[in-house]
Amino acid sequence: MDVRSEIAELMDEVIARVFRKEKEEIASHHELRFKEDLNVNSKHYFPILSALSDEFDLDIDYHEFQFYATTVESAIDYVYAKYQEQIG
């Protein structure tokens, strides 16, 4: 499994847990928008960022993540770009 797929897998798991959804629902709908579809608030971001930081040893800025991660797909893309930038 490549790193982007690993990131997507972890994001699916954590987002499903945080928003009390089935993992498969998140995995099959990466177009879901955080604010409009999932009704995200600031407390929802912390378990997501914590899991990513722990698993991939990434430093992800909370405000930057909020700005760029408007959908599940864009969150995965953003985290993958951060991984490429920080880890290579």
Side-chain angles (χ1 to χ4, degrees):
M1 185 181 302
D2 67 352
V3 173
R4 190 180 187 292
S5 296
E6 290 178 33
I7 291 169
E9 179 82 14
L10 179 63
M11 294 275 286
D12 292 342
E13 288 174 19
V14 176
I15 291 169
R17 186 175 66 242
V18 167
F19 294 101
R20 294 185 172 98
K21 306 271 186 198
E22 293 295 322
K23 179 184 170 191
E24 294 74 24
E25 179 183 352
I26 302 299
S28 63
H29 296 316
H30 282 174
E31 75 280 359
L32 285 170
R33 299 167 297 175
F34 281 106
K35 290 182 182 175
E36 295 86 347
D37 300 324
L38 296 171
N39 297 314
V40 72
N41 64 44
S42 58
K43 71 176 179 157
H44 292 123
Y45 289 110
F46 292 107
I48 297 168
L49 295 177
S50 178
L52 291 164
S53 177
D54 291 349
E55 183 70 24
F56 297 102
D57 195 30
L58 295 173
D59 181 26
I60 300 173
D61 181 77
Y62 163 77
H63 296 291
E64 200 174 280
F65 183 83
Q66 269 188 300
F67 180 78
Y68 289 108
T70 57
T71 66
V72 175
E73 187 70 27
S74 65
I76 294 166
D77 291 342
Y78 172 78
V79 173
Y80 182 64
K82 283 295 183 188
Y83 178 88
Q84 294 291 82
E85 179 184 300
Q86 293 177 26
I87 310 293

